[in-house]
């Protein structure tokens, strides 16, 4: 196969990069070439895995809005948004791929400007948010994505739900699982995985240690970067996390997961997990309750990795 697929990730947090790198590797496994783009902290992770990444202008709507103000969004995020779209237009024209697969709204805006077939891969939905401005923005974004894309592929650990955007195509959860990434030398009891916007995870780790648990805190002074987190999650007895990327990895790994959300999107995801009673996941909202849940974790989840489904779907349509 001589087709090249462009894969671009959203720049907020490493989870977006992890998911889209997993998708890119599935295309490579299917015989297609890939070119990668993104920017932000996640691109360092992709480069750590040996890939080159085109870095478009970064934006951080979540950080600017939820940790700043609407004014910060207007003065920082919005100006950089136009630059990011322009950067992606230049990149797509230079690479001329057979298709663009992305979870990035700005790359999705650039694709029609270059005539590039567009495939969306994201779980984002307006139903996750409480603030009206976030609900309206995400609803409009979902409508645009559904209209502009050949397909809107929706990776979920839950079955089709009333809160999902109408018209999406469900696929299993996505996780990066490279063959060359070894598991840890020793088994891991409790793996604690903070997100960019998490707080108090160092306090949580120390609380769990005082209760007698062996705890591995991703990102602390004792943590060494690894090409993929999935082998560590597989080795753990239980994982504690905030972000949906780790939720999906725990689902694929078959590891019980306690979810401790912080952002509006994370709270929205946990509402679906609770409403649908998704096996393998327990939601808690304080250090004390997380520590209690770790003592009696939920049953292990069972899910296939959806990256092959994504690659098969896109390549099947491209012929």
């Amino acid at each position: 196969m001589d087709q090249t697929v462009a894969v671009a990730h959203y720049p907020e947090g490493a989870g977006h990069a992890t998911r889209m790198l997993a998708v890119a590797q599935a295309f490579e496994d299917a015989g297609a070439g890939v070119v990668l783009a993104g920017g932000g902290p996640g691109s360092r992770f992709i480069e750590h895995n040996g890939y080159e990444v085109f870095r478009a202008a970064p934006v951080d709507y979540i950080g600017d809005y939820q940790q700043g103000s609407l004014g910060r969004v207007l003065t920082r995020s919005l100006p950089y948004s136009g630059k990011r779209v322009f950067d992606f237009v230049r990149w797509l024209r230079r690479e001329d791929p057979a298709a663009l697969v992305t979870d990035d709204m700005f790359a999705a805006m650039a694709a029609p400007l270059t005539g590039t077939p567009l495939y969306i891969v994201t779980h984002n939905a307006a139903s996750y948010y409480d603030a009206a401005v976030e609900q309206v923005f995400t609803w409009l974004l979902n409508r645009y994505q559904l209209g502009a894309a050949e397909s809107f592929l929706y990776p979920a650990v839950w079955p089709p739900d009333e809160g999902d955007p109408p018209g999406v195509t469900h696929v299993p959860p996505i996780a990066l699982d490279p063959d060359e990434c070894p598991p840890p030398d020793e088994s891991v009891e409790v793996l604690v995985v903070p997100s960019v916007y998490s707080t108090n995870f160092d306090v949580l780790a120390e609380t769990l240690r005082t209760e007698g648990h062996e705890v591995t805190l991703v990102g602390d002074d004792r943590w060494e970067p690894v090409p993929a987190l999935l082998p560590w999650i597989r080795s753990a007895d239980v994982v504690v996390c905030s972000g949906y990327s780790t939720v999906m990895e725990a689902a694929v790994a078959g590891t019980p997961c306690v979810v401790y959300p912080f952002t509006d999107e994370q709270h929205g995801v946990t509402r679906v997990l609770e409403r649908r009673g998704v096996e393998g996941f327990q939601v808690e909202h304080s250090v004390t309750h997380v520590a209690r849940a770790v003592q009696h974790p939920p049953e292990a989840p069972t899910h296939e990795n959806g990256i092959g489904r994504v690659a098969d779907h896109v390549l099947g349509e491209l012929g």
Side-chain angles (χ1 to χ4, degrees):
M1 180 180 295
D2 57 1
Q3 289 176 320
T4 296
V5 177
V7 179
H9 71 83
Y10 199 60
E12 292 174 351
H16 294 276
T18 300
R19 292 197 296 270
M20 299 314 294
L21 178 57
V23 169
Q25 291 182 341
F27 282 113
E28 289 183 321
D29 290 343
V34 295
V35 289
L36 295 161
S43 283
R44 292 195 298 271
F45 176 83
I46 293 179
E47 290 164 346
H48 182 72
N49 277 269
Y51 291 83
E52 293 185 1
V53 186
F54 172 74
R55 291 174 174 263
V59 295
D60 187 2
Y61 274 91
I62 292 177
D64 286 344
Y65 179 70
Q66 295 185 183
Q67 298 181 349
S69 66
L70 186 57
R72 188 180 176 96
V73 171
L74 295 174
T75 58
R76 290 170 58 95
S77 294
L78 279 179
Y80 277 97
S81 297
K83 177 66 165 59
R84 188 168 177 83
V85 174
F86 178 73
D87 286 349
F88 275 125
V89 167
R90 288 190 305 145
W91 178 67
L92 289 171
R93 284 177 175 161
R94 183 174 70 245
E95 300 294 345
D96 191 25
L100 170 66
V101 181
T102 188
D103 66 353
D104 185 286
M105 68 180 83
F106 308 103
M109 294 174 189
L113 299 176
T114 61
T116 306
L118 172 65
Y119 292 85
I120 299 295
V121 181
T122 185
H123 68 281
N124 200 22
S127 61
Y128 298 159
Y129 301 97
D130 294 323
V133 65
E134 290 178 298
Q135 288 180 348
V136 171
F137 177 81
T138 308
W139 185 87
L140 291 171
L141 175 62
N142 288 161
R143 303 317 301 171
Y144 171 79
Q145 291 168 324
L146 284 161
E150 306 295 325
S151 298
F152 188 141
L153 304 175
Y154 193 78
V157 300
W158 52 80
D161 182 74
E162 62 186 15
D164 300 340
V168 298
T169 300
H170 264 247
V171 294
I174 291 171
L176 178 64
D177 192 14
D179 294 335
E180 67 275 10
C181 183
D185 295 333
E186 300 178 356
S187 62
V188 178
E189 183 189 351
V190 183
L191 183 69
V192 178
V193 187
S195 71
V196 172
Y197 306 105
S198 302
T199 59
N200 295 329
F201 266 54
D202 54 344
V203 174
L204 171 61
E206 286 306 312
T207 299
L208 293 170
R209 289 184 181 118
T210 61
E211 295 188 357
H213 298 287
E214 292 290 332
V215 178
T216 301
L217 175 60
V218 174
D220 73 0
D221 294 338
R222 288 169 284 187
W223 176 259
E224 295 184 5
V226 294
L229 198 58
L230 192 62
W232 290 76
I233 295 175
R234 280 201 184 103
S235 296
D237 295 332
V238 60
V239 60
V240 180
C241 69
S242 296
Y244 188 61
S245 292
T246 309
V247 165
M248 288 197 288
E249 289 175 324
V252 173
T255 301
C257 182
V258 179
V259 190
Y260 183 18
F262 285 85
T263 70
D264 288 354
E265 180 262 341
Q266 290 168 356
H267 281 285
V269 165
T270 58
R271 285 196 294 270
V272 185
L273 292 174
E274 292 184 307
R275 182 172 68 244
R276 298 311 301 266
V278 181
E279 187 174 87
F281 301 92
Q282 183 168 334
V283 180
E284 300 294 349
H285 299 281
S286 71
V287 168
T288 301
H289 287 90
V290 170
R292 186 182 304 166
V294 167
Q295 294 282 5
H296 304 284
E299 296 294 323
T302 305
H303 294 265
E304 70 170 297
N305 196 337
I307 56 174
R309 296 269 197 101
V310 173
D312 290 346
H313 180 95
V314 174
L315 295 176
E317 289 201 351
L318 293 177

